Amino acid sequence: MGSKTLQMLIVPLASMLLLLGSTSAQLSVGYYSKTCPNAEDIVRKEMIQILAKAPSLAAPFLRMHFHDCFVRGCDGSVLLDSTSGTKAEKDAKPNLTLRGFGSVERVKAKLEKACPNSVSCADVLALMARDSVWLSKGPTWPVWLGRKDGRISIANETKQLPPPKANLTQLIQMFGVKGLDLKDLVVLSGAHTIGTSHCSSISDRLYNFTGLDNLSDVDPFLERQYLDKLRSKCSPTDNTTLIEMDPGSFKTFDTSYYKLVANRRSAFHSDWALLTDSFTRAYVLKHANGFESEFFQDFSESMIKMGNVEVLTGSQGEIRKKCSVVN
């Protein structure tokens, strides 16, 4: 692990204190130092084993944390199964492609064995997301812990998740209601440097951009060679084929995503939308040319900020014994 020292950028404590608002006042670094002192070590050990066997799960764990925080805050609600009376978030359309729920339960089970009724599923997911980035050669950061798990998960509330087709105005509004600003938006979009997406998420850019529904109705902002490459992989009705979000580097957390956006070779319309604002455009163009350490620092800070969105603490929630069901 020593060879990754340069990637392990730690956000200064003073900076983190400024990032945290009153809603997360009861969170802290080292929250489990007495109740489960080896919690982070247990999670990391499991993550090393999980990603050694299935490295493609790194991006899904990060995405799962993102989807959790944008709906009801970072409360583990995305992990809950549907019940006979309620369709849960994980069964809503935006979450049907989420993967890795079994691995979350695996990590939680290890923690329950070591420290029963101590570590919340929301915290497990936050730690797994952090370690996913680090194990993909990205930065690491201190995770503020002490979240409690929510007891409610409603499929319709996933409308709060930014869709791949969103324009910048929509993205700014959806991030803004979560207390995330324009810089957080362009920085967190950089998470698309790892992982894959289904053809169905981009098919409208390739075949039916304005609703004409013919082969010439394409997104004019897609670079032509990239468009042809995507079309060679994705048919108009393809719901199963996966494409790399950052072709050639989709398992490595780096700044190459911004180079793709700058060259109009990004998969989502929401990625291209970053070029339509002067601030986000400037950030994209700067990091298209490197400045990796700055991006790593920015990403760490934005992840800390996002991880503290609308959290439940104290008696507001519970610590689930199993992440898919309430106690």
Side-chain angles (χ1 to χ4, degrees), residues 20-27 305 308-313 316:
L20 297 178
S22 59
T23 58
S24 55
Q26 296 180 56
L27 300 187
K305 191 173 176 182
N308 290 282
V309 168
E310 300 171 5
V311 296
L312 303 177
T313 59
Q316 294 174 316

Side-chain angles (χ1 to χ4, degrees), residues 285-319:
L285 295 180
K286 178 178 181 180
H287 292 87
N289 293 305
F291 298 93
E292 188 171 86
S293 61
E294 179 184 284
F295 167 59
F296 280 8
Q297 181 75 14
D298 290 342
F299 190 81
S300 299
E301 292 182 0
S302 289
M303 284 297 294
I304 292 171
K305 191 173 176 182
M306 186 191 76
N308 290 282
V309 168
E310 300 171 5
V311 296
L312 303 177
T313 59
S315 60
Q316 294 174 316
E318 65 181 11
I319 296 175

Side-chain angles (χ1 to χ4, degrees), residues 113-280:
K113 183 176 180 180
C115 318
N117 305 314
S118 298
V119 183
S120 69
C121 295
D123 279 349
V124 169
L125 194 50
L127 290 169
M128 291 178 71
R130 188 268 308 273
D131 288 351
S132 291
V133 172
W134 180 66
L135 290 168
S136 300
K137 300 182 180 179
T140 188
W141 56 90
V143 177
W144 292 68
L145 300 168
R147 301 168 188 79
K148 292 298 191 295
D149 296 322
R151 300 181 179 92
I152 300 171
S153 183
I154 302 173
N156 285 341
E157 294 184 349
T158 57
K159 294 176 182 178
Q160 300 172 71
L161 293 169
K165 301 177 184 180
N167 60 39
L168 195 71
T169 299
Q170 293 169 319
L171 292 171
I172 290 172
Q173 191 275 331
M174 298 179 97
F175 274 68
V177 297
K178 301 301 176 183
L180 301 172
D181 59 26
L182 198 58
K183 183 176 182 181
D184 298 315
L185 166 57
V186 67
V187 169
L188 292 173
S189 294
H192 289 164
T193 187
I194 56 173
T196 58
S197 182
H198 287 81
C199 286
S200 55
S201 296
I202 62 165
S203 60
D204 66 310
R205 301 190 77 191
L206 310 181
Y207 298 103
N208 189 26
F209 188 62
T210 64
L212 296 178
D213 198 18
N214 61 54
L215 293 179
S216 62
D217 189 17
V218 300
D219 187 341
F221 302 110
L222 264 178
E223 191 270 331
R224 186 69 210 191
Q225 288 186 335
Y226 185 53
L227 169 65
D228 293 340
K229 184 176 181 180
L230 290 175
R231 275 189 160 185
S232 71
K233 295 183 177 181
C234 301
S235 70
T237 57
D238 190 340
N239 293 315
T240 58
T241 301
L242 293 173
I243 59 165
E244 297 175 3
M245 294 294 291
D246 188 348
S249 180
F250 76 107
K251 293 181 182 179
T252 303
F253 197 95
D254 53 27
T255 56
S256 58
Y257 160 81
Y258 293 109
K259 187 173 183 178
L260 292 172
V261 175
N263 291 329
R264 298 188 295 121
R265 295 174 68 89
S266 55
F268 293 160
H269 184 80
S270 59
D271 296 322
W272 172 83
L274 298 175
L275 297 176
T276 63
D277 171 85
S278 59
F279 176 83
T280 54

